[in-house]
Amino acid sequence: YKLVNDASPDNVVTLTRLWLADELPGNCESKVLGVALRSLKRDTSLKFVLAYSDPAVGHLGIIYQATNWLYTGLSFATPLYDIGDGTLHHSRSLAHQLGSHSIRYLTLQGINAKAVPQSAKHRYIYFLDDLWRSRLGVPVLPYPKKEREMNGNN
């Protein structure tokens, strides 16, 4: 939410997963995303939506590009945390569940926690309220594109 001036956590939602089977007809992703965004615009007081794509696994956010989201560059590479339960946890989840995401604090609580480095993600924003677009506090950048292999032939 800090990407948008004068925004609060109540103004934004993060799209954390979008997956549809490859066997579905073309453009299903954009149709499903469109339905979800129209519903959020109509039925909530949210002002914008954030989404991330992971370049470490080859994702550029093509669906967000195709549906006219704004690209704002790479996110900060924040670690996830391994507390020995077989799940990697986000720092906010740990702080909410355990009181802190500090390794020192968790160790003092008898939890053997390790930070697991993550890569930066491509970051996209979609404004549900067009009046909020002018509050964007970071530059809009060109969409990332797949790098072409250089084999001597252009």
Side-chain angles (χ1 to χ4, degrees):
Y1 73 92
K2 294 179 182 179
L3 301 172
V4 177
N5 296 324
D6 301 319
S8 73
D10 295 337
N11 301 133
V12 62
V13 67
T14 300
L15 177 63
T16 56
R17 293 285 183 269
L18 177 62
W19 177 89
L20 295 174
D22 290 338
E23 295 79 26
L24 292 171
N27 300 321
C28 278
E29 293 92 346
S30 59
K31 289 177 184 177
V32 168
L33 194 52
V35 167
L37 292 172
R38 285 189 296 277
S39 178
L40 289 172
K41 187 172 190 171
R42 181 184 62 241
D43 299 329
T44 73
S45 61
L46 294 168
K47 304 302 181 188
F48 57 100
V49 181
L50 290 173
Y52 298 87
S53 291
D54 191 350
V57 293
H59 297 171
L60 295 176
I62 299 300
I63 187 61
Y64 308 121
Q65 295 177 23
T67 52
N68 297 315
W69 291 52
L70 303 175
Y71 178 66
T72 62
L74 293 172
S75 66
F76 293 105
T78 57
L80 294 176
Y81 294 85
D82 179 355
I83 60 171
D85 64 355
T87 301
L88 293 178
H89 299 270
H90 190 279
S91 62
R92 283 187 298 248
S93 297
L94 283 185
H96 179 72
Q97 294 169 0
L98 303 174
S100 176
H101 69 269
S102 160
I103 299 286
R104 183 173 183 271
Y105 172 85
L106 295 171
T107 300
L108 290 172
Q109 305 306 311
I111 300 169
N112 184 19
K114 298 175 192 152
V116 179
Q118 301 294 302
S119 63
K121 312 288 188 262
H122 292 297
R123 183 179 57 213
Y124 292 87
I125 188 168
Y126 185 91
F127 285 93
L128 299 167
D129 184 335
D130 293 332
L131 297 175
W132 278 58
R133 168 66 174 84
S134 63
R135 296 184 185 195
L136 185 60
V138 296
V140 175
L141 302 173
Y143 290 140
K145 301 294 178 196
K146 188 176 278 189
E147 292 184 29
R148 295 182 182 189
E149 291 184 42
M150 299 301 289
N151 60 5
N153 299 327
N154 290 335

